[in-house]
Amino acid sequence: MNSLQPSAFNLAPPPTLQWQPVRSANFLAISGRSYPVNTTSAAITVTLPLNPNPGDQITLTDYAGTWGTNNLTINPNGGKINGTTTNATLSTNRGSVQRVYVDS
């Protein structure tokens, strides 16, 4: 029996994302980073990078469990989220989402 090598499928381990300080105001996300987002005081908008590369990743996590009250809005910055350029709204308390850029 032959064993399959990940390199034969052009696979690589996922990159390690760098955790950032808690965000409590609108911000521009940077690829390769994870953000705890605190919407206790107000809704927040995160803007995705302007020119991402395939495989770029960003993680957003509801720091205080308040996205259901004060939503987190994701602005695609001219790109697309699920095929549309419309902002995405996250409204589930204690939620977390990882966005991986594939292509335009």
Side-chain angles (χ1 to χ4, degrees):
M1 174 180 242
N2 293 333
S3 65
L4 298 175
Q5 299 296 319
S7 60
F9 296 96
N10 202 21
L11 298 176
T16 301
L17 301 177
Q18 298 175 357
W19 280 96
Q20 301 301 298
V22 176
R23 303 298 173 124
S24 57
N26 298 342
F27 66 99
L28 174 64
I30 297 173
S31 296
R33 301 196 178 169
S34 295
Y35 298 93
V37 183
N38 184 354
T39 63
T40 299
S41 298
I44 293 175
T45 297
V46 57
T47 302
L48 298 180
L50 183 58
N51 295 308
N53 295 306
D56 282 356
Q57 299 178 37
I58 293 169
T59 299
L60 304 165
T61 301
D62 184 1
Y63 174 79
T66 55
W67 287 358
T69 303
N70 294 317
N71 302 153
L72 176 68
T73 300
I74 302 175
N75 176 343
N77 202 8
K80 293 182 180 178
I81 297 174
N82 295 332
T84 180
T85 57
T86 305
N87 289 350
T89 301
L90 303 178
S91 58
T92 302
N93 288 341
R94 303 282 178 210
S96 187
V97 64
Q98 184 173 46
R99 295 289 178 189
V100 180
Y101 181 76
V102 177
D103 62 29
S104 59

